[in-house]
Amino acid sequence: MQFKINFYMENQHQWLNYANQRLSPHYDERPVNCDIDLLVIHNISLPAGHFGTSFVDDLFMGSINCHAHESFASLEGVRVSAHCFIRRDGSVNQYVPFSKRAWHAGGSSFDGRQRCNDFSIGIELEGTDSIPYTQAQYEALVKVSQSIMTQFPKITPQRIVGHCDIAPTRKTDPGEAFDWQYYLNLLQRELRVIE
């Protein structure tokens, strides 16, 4: 599994050239002179445990119908996004340019710093804490991670965390179903290929 790494650049805002580009209204500017040095992995499915629906896309695009499912009532007025969303088939949607601040982490801290949205990139995997992720998702996640790490070299494997690591009292994702060792082994192998 070897990937060609490159970006589509427009006005210094980074977009993956292999992702489906969908500009979310839910983002803003990062603080001035703020290094991007953390990658956060999440999971999401709407409704929980249902895959292949349009509802995650609708949520990130600010157009979700909160009456479409009884569990969506709590999403009324929620403004959230991630930089990327990786579906079960490995396809990638990008909602926010990497140079901008996506609203994915909420109240969070890492390495003594608060407000992880300021200095992180957020990737959502279509999934739940307890359902195994697909091989296509792991491969896509490695490809996306490589692209990000090439552009932002302060993001190292040691600075790739789960949402559970930066908001442990609120969040559990990507959950016990996420095979960290497998992902990091794949990533390290690919990083060695491009050195």
Side-chain angles (χ1 to χ4, degrees):
M1 177 174 57
Q2 185 174 354
F3 302 116
K4 182 178 179 184
I5 307 301
N6 54 30
F7 279 75
Y8 168 73
M9 304 289 280
E10 182 178 307
N11 300 322
Q12 303 304 309
H13 299 163
Q14 293 87 10
W15 290 94
L16 295 170
N17 66 359
Y18 51 81
N20 178 30
Q21 297 171 17
R22 305 265 299 148
L23 183 61
S24 170
H26 302 154
Y27 75 94
D28 58 4
E29 298 294 329
R30 295 182 187 270
V32 176
N33 299 322
C34 185
D35 285 329
I36 299 170
D37 60 9
L38 186 68
L39 178 59
V40 181
I41 299 174
H42 307 256
N43 74 38
I44 188 170
S45 55
L46 292 174
H50 293 252
F51 306 138
T53 73
S54 67
F55 295 123
V56 173
D57 184 73
D58 295 341
L59 178 66
F60 291 162
M61 293 301 292
S63 61
I64 192 165
N65 175 359
C66 291
H67 304 290
H69 190 271
E70 60 186 17
S71 67
F72 295 174
S74 63
L75 298 176
E76 190 73 48
V78 169
R79 301 177 72 210
V80 65
S81 62
H83 289 91
C84 295
F85 174 52
I86 301 176
R87 293 188 175 275
R88 305 294 286 182
D89 65 1
S91 60
V92 180
N93 283 1
Q94 184 173 356
Y95 293 93
V96 177
F98 295 124
S99 59
K100 304 299 183 183
R101 178 170 56 190
W103 303 342
H104 61 96
S108 54
S109 66
F110 181 78
D111 202 21
R113 295 166 69 190
Q114 304 293 313
R115 298 173 49 93
C116 292
N117 283 342
D118 290 351
F119 54 92
S120 69
I121 290 172
I123 299 175
E124 294 272 5
L125 299 174
E126 186 175 32
T128 71
D129 287 7
S130 58
I131 298 175
Y133 297 91
T134 68
Q135 182 64 28
Q137 285 181 298
Y138 283 111
E139 291 179 4
L141 179 59
V142 167
K143 182 178 181 181
V144 172
S145 300
Q146 269 191 316
S147 298
I148 290 166
M149 294 167 78
T150 299
Q151 188 69 16
F152 303 100
K154 290 189 177 182
I155 298 177
T156 62
Q158 296 73 34
R159 297 187 67 83
I160 301 175
V161 298
H163 201 182
C164 58
D165 298 309
I166 62 171
T169 61
R170 297 187 306 109
K171 296 295 181 178
T172 58
D173 55 316
E176 68 273 10
F178 186 73
D179 190 337
W180 280 102
Q181 195 60 55
Y182 179 67
Y183 159 65
L184 291 172
N185 285 346
L186 282 180
L187 179 60
Q188 289 284 21
R189 187 182 318 148
E190 292 307 312
L191 291 175
R192 282 195 296 271
V193 166
I194 63 171
E195 283 179 348

